[in-house]
Amino acid sequence: MAKKGARTGSRRVAATDDLEVSTYLEIAGRKVGPKESPDKGAEETSQERPEAIVVLDFGSQYSMLIARRVRECRVYCEVLPYNTPWEKIAPLKPRGYILSGGPSSVYDPSAPLVPAYVYESRVPILGICYGMQALTHQLGGKVASGVKREYGPAVLHQNVSDHPIFRGLPREMPVWMSHGDQITEMPPGFSSLAYTDNAPVAVLGNDHKIIGLQFHPEVSHTPDGKTILKNFLYEICGCEGTWTPKSFIAESVKRIREQVGSGKVICALSGGVDSAVTAALVQRAIGDQLICIFVDNGLLRREEPERVRAVFERHLNLNLIYVDAVDRFLTRLAGVTDPEVKRHIIGEEFIRVFEEQATRLGEPQFLAQGTLYPDVIESNPPENSPSVKIKTHHNVGGLPDAMKLSLVEPLRQLFKDEVREVGLALGMPEEMVYRQPFPGPGLAIRIIGEVTRERLEMLRGADWVVMDEIKAAKLYRELWQSFAVLAPLHTVGVMGDYRTYGNMVAIRAVTSDDAMTADWARLPYDVLAKISNRIVNEVPGVNRVVYDISSKPPSTIEWE
Ligand code: XMP
């Protein structure tokens, strides 16, 4: 038996297994199986699962993007660390594996390798960049440092005319490369399917549906990348694209019922899309066993409490407890100017209100939360992964610990755009489904300095105008967020024949994919002009409007 990660001549083994190398070479041709077939476990546990693909993450910054592209093809997919044990994979019963790229070189002593069950399971494998190099290395080929690092666009030329991975694509196409190492010798049984000027083996494959791509099909700089992934899913793995909002809802309803039984579930509604879709989905499953709590903290936008009530009580018929906690929040915030102290007070007060309500309800056992897939991946990345990020904002953090509630998180497997699709399929109004994110501490972190009723009124007025004009210009959905900030900095102005000494309002409008980075939106001047004009005319106390042209980093989206 060879040791973990050891290399003797051309003999290699996976980091997670102790199979003999000869076994790998055989299983690359899928001729022999291991002593115990991984398919066994899968059959026992995954009868009702949708067709699924597993992306094994080797630490690429693009792993989540691969999953997104696969889901866009209506195939369910999960990103799991490369060293995930088989027992966790088995219930998914994967139709295929995608091995992500990653920062390692296969010749690093601690290089992450492909677990044996991937080869043994006899389903198709697509290795991308490092994933391709890892499988080449393990199956008896050679990987070496390229003469030069290849980063950026390249032209891919096919060596074959009818391979299913290229179905519907031209013989030459632009692709995006990002690699240092490259394939210098293919494993036995493999042939080169395409090359670029710098990579003689840019795509390789064998007769047993193992394919490697040196380039990144998941990024938008590879314009036909999605077709390549689609070909892998449909033509090679035999997927049919059955992952739809409707199938997701049916499956979730069943799971929620199983988890909750006759128990009571509470859910904090913020008015945002994640908690709203969570509530609608849980209600679809268990009806009145779900009780939603909406806390009006006095920091919401104009007409927001009324809108939330209208949608949830009347439209969705939800069991809703509306708590007017305006006075208690504003009393606690009086005199506070430090942004972090504001956040802390608001979070703490929210938990108190929520606990009081939950106690009145007689000890519910479950808490429904709108956790999304990116949060799940972020909290479970492979070691040393560059995709590790720090999540800073959790509105109801700490709640379950204190209250001993089990979590119901039906959106754990979804991306934001999928959540929106599910919301629409559940009959929620577009206005709510496409609402821009709004922070838990609300307008308190958009008023610089102390939060007072007067300032809140001013900000509400200005924010209303921004929203109104952005929607009128049909820009609302294009922007990640657009809002007003009240900087109670007094400046001189003139209105009529009078000198004024009023407040300043800043307009903030940003584009972003995930709020980790953002750019200021290039709003048309006439839209900015209308907003400015309306604010100084309609909002008493404001005599100056400025536009924030900072990106994130170095600024943040919110001002506090
Ligand atoms: P920043 O200002 O950090 O914001 O660039 C990134 C995203 O997070 C939102 N945000 C918050 N959300 N509680 C929240 O629920 C908070 O304390 C909080 N602070 C910022 C912000 O609106 C943006 O979408």
Side-chain angles (χ1 to χ4, degrees), residues 491-495 498-502 543:
T491 69
V492 176
V494 56
M495 278 187 182
Y498 293 97
R499 176 184 181 277
T500 58
Y501 192 49
N543 69 349

Side-chain angles (χ1 to χ4, degrees), residues 6-282:
R7 199 154 57 84
T8 44
S10 65
R11 296 163 63 97
R12 287 132 217 179
V13 295
T16 51
D17 209 304
D18 62 352
L19 285 181
E20 285 289 355
V21 175
S22 56
T23 311
Y24 273 114
L25 295 177
E26 284 167 315
I27 58 187
R30 316 293 175 103
K31 286 191 191 110
V32 297
K35 286 163 234 139
E36 197 151 307
S37 163
D39 279 351
K40 201 167 151 244
E43 273 157 23
E44 283 164 6
T45 47
S46 63
Q47 299 300 335
E48 299 119 16
R49 291 268 170 182
E51 54 186 21
I53 294 289
V54 166
V55 176
L56 288 180
D57 184 4
F58 288 87
S60 166
Q61 56 184 318
Y62 301 132
S63 297
M64 193 128 78
L65 205 50
I66 301 173
R68 289 197 62 114
R69 298 280 173 265
V70 172
R71 301 266 192 102
E72 281 165 18
C73 297
R74 298 263 173 235
V75 175
Y76 179 65
C77 136
E78 285 194 21
V79 180
L80 293 164
Y82 72 89
N83 52 1
T84 303
W86 168 246
E87 296 68 49
K88 254 193 106 176
I89 305 268
L92 293 168
K93 208 176 181 187
R95 294 277 186 101
Y97 290 92
I98 298 181
L99 315 174
S100 85
S104 311
S105 165
V106 290
Y107 291 123
D108 293 343
S110 58
L113 293 176
V114 184
Y117 60 74
V118 173
Y119 299 113
E120 293 162 5
S121 58
R122 294 176 173 71
V123 295
I125 305 168
L126 181 70
I128 296 176
C129 199
Y130 177 79
M132 173 207 214
Q133 293 162 9
L135 66 84
T136 298
H137 175 67
Q138 284 176 279
L139 298 178
K142 280 206 177 110
V143 179
S145 274
V147 184
K148 59 176 186 173
R149 204 179 146 69
E150 198 179 10
Y151 183 82
V155 177
L156 187 80
H157 306 268
Q158 290 173 33
N159 291 322
V160 285
S161 54
D162 57 353
H163 196 282
I165 196 76
F166 296 127
R167 194 138 298 158
L169 292 172
R171 294 292 297 261
E172 288 183 4
M173 63 183 143
V175 294
W176 184 261
M177 293 284 198
S178 175
H179 64 110
D181 289 355
Q182 63 178 32
I183 312 299
T184 51
E185 201 180 302
M186 279 173 291
F190 280 76
S191 55
S192 168
L193 306 179
Y195 64 93
T196 66
D197 282 353
N198 276 317
V201 184
V203 180
L204 56 70
N206 72 356
D207 291 342
H208 301 278
K209 301 188 173 177
I210 301 182
I211 293 170
L213 308 175
Q214 188 55 77
F215 60 91
H216 288 270
E218 69 276 22
V219 302
S220 56
H221 307 295
T222 301
D224 290 316
K226 195 166 152 190
T227 308
I228 293 180
L229 287 171
K230 197 169 182 178
N231 284 341
F232 176 69
L233 301 171
Y234 283 62
E235 306 285 335
I236 298 175
C237 298
C239 293
E240 288 168 10
T242 51
W243 170 252
T244 62
K246 244 176 109 183
S247 69
F248 171 81
I249 292 169
E251 196 196 323
S252 303
V253 162
K254 199 163 160 279
R255 277 199 216 170
I256 294 166
R257 284 184 187 152
E258 277 167 15
Q259 184 190 357
V260 170
S262 58
K264 230 183 236 178
V265 182
I266 48 170
C267 176
L269 281 183
S270 66
V273 60
D274 304 342
S275 64
V277 175
T278 301
L281 192 52
V282 175

